Amino acid sequence: MARHMWTLLQTACLLGLLSAEWPGLSDEEITPDLRYPYNYFGEFGEEQTEEETPTQSPEETPTQSPEETPMLTPEPCKASAFTEWDKLFTMLENSQMKENMLLQYADDIIKVELQSLRGEMLQFVAQYGDSCASAIDKAARRSGAQMETRLENALTRLREVSADQYEQQELVLQQLLASSVTQDAHLERLENCCLKSSQAKSLQARHLTQEVTDGESGVRLEKTLASISSELQAMREQMTRYMRSNLSNRLPSGCDTGLLFPTRSSTSNVEVTPKRPFPTKAVTICLWAKPTQVLNKTVLFSYSTTGNPYELELVLNGQSVQFTVDGETHLVEAPGVVQEGQWVHLCAVWSSWQGLASVWVNGQQAASSPGVAEGHELRSKGSLLLGQEYGRYFRHLIIPETFNAELAFTGKMTGVNMWDRVLDSQEISQQAQLDGSGCGNRGNVVAWGVSDIESKGGVKLIY
């Protein structure tokens, strides 16, 4: 379409030029060699005027016999001369041919140039492709190393800032506790003083009532003292609630981080990677737990292998704690030791020798039993979960990780540690101190704050 428009524009320009060059062009000025004959097969003859071929009536026309009628030979057609428009169209055809030739020549040149450019590009890629790829690879590695270094620096700064903030919060809480204790002592002294003064004033009021006939002032004084005493009691209860709320929001035993299991679902769990592999013939598991709701069976800790999905389990059954080794038939239970909404420290100890197993609650032995999986050895290459159990859905059997929501733990958990030996009573009681620093005593199989953990199903890490 664009090519036809360009041809029309060229035609219009050529017509304008011709009209400007030859304004008085006529048939006589056209050279004979530009004329072309129309003498094709005698189709066209010369035009005859009326004078050359007069018409005769039938009466004047002499009658001749067929023998007398001469044979007429047709005259050849004469070619008419070129007109001005014929010349213009001839020139337009010539210009159209030249234009087509120029376009064809331009297309050939472009094709040749494109082929040469393609060859140069292929040669450039073949020559410098490897060096460019290696340079890009080096740049990507360098940028990755720089980003990794920056991330490590940022994490270090974040940990330092969080540690400083935790220390500041600890100092503020210690100051608040000290001030609350001091204020409590002041309140007690003030209360005693008020009681003494109220007794003295009540005695004085009695004497005054005996001496003075109008006893209305003594009644007012007693009401005022009673209101002051009630206000002091209300302030004391408020300070007690404040101290309890601060203690409940803090993580126990000096732990920096904890796990929050917000809801009971079929996907909420935490997978822990042990620091060293099994097998072992002795184990000690310790953790802090604050359950939101306790049902018939709530899983705190579980270790599953391909041979036995119930290799180790520490579960809550109502207010009781159960510790099983090598299946539910080998267990030890401590009844009535857990309360909803309160922190509790639990330790489970087992030795293959004589099958001695025990459960410790808040640093004290709550239950023990011999003959629990005696002579058994814990297998290696298993999976360790917090807040859930694999059971028959063990992932090594290539089954999707779907758990039983009724067994999921809800609440908070921290200070999870595991040893491949039996801890003594002193080590266990040291970890169970609520306001101590037992969270720093980390296990050699699972170490809280050191071992890798992966939270799933909405489980959050809290500080």
Side-chain angles (χ1 to χ4, degrees), residues 360-394:
W360 297 67
V361 180
N362 294 329
Q364 301 295 325
Q365 185 174 342
S368 64
S369 176
V372 177
E374 183 178 355
H376 181 68
E377 184 179 14
L378 297 178
R379 300 176 179 87
S380 60
K381 296 181 181 180
S383 292
L384 196 154
L385 290 183
L386 300 179
Q388 189 56 267
E389 68 174 12
Y390 277 112
R392 61 189 181 91
Y393 298 105
F394 188 57

Side-chain angles (χ1 to χ4, degrees), residues 247-252 257-259 287-291 337-345 362 409 411-415 434 462:
L247 290 175
S248 62
N249 290 330
R250 291 177 54 194
L251 294 174
T257 59
L259 294 172
L287 57 87
W288 283 94
K290 184 181 179 182
V337 294
V338 179
Q339 298 292 331
E340 293 181 354
Q342 294 183 7
W343 283 105
V344 61
H345 185 262
N362 294 329
F409 171 76
K412 297 180 181 179
M413 189 182 301
T414 186
L434 185 65
I462 58 176

Side-chain angles (χ1 to χ4, degrees), residues 412-442:
K412 297 180 181 179
M413 189 182 301
T414 186
V416 182
N417 291 284
M418 182 177 178
W419 294 261
D420 58 355
R421 63 182 179 87
V422 175
L423 269 63
D424 56 22
S425 58
Q426 185 177 359
E427 290 175 319
I428 294 175
S429 61
Q430 185 178 0
Q431 296 182 55
Q433 295 179 5
L434 185 65
D435 297 329
S437 58
C439 203
N441 299 328
R442 297 180 174 88

Side-chain angles (χ1 to χ4, degrees), residues 200-219 221:
K201 288 181 179 180
S202 63
L203 292 174
Q204 291 178 3
R206 290 176 184 175
H207 290 297
L208 288 173
T209 53
Q210 292 177 0
E211 295 176 358
V212 184
T213 57
D214 191 9
E216 294 180 356
S217 60
V219 175
L221 182 60

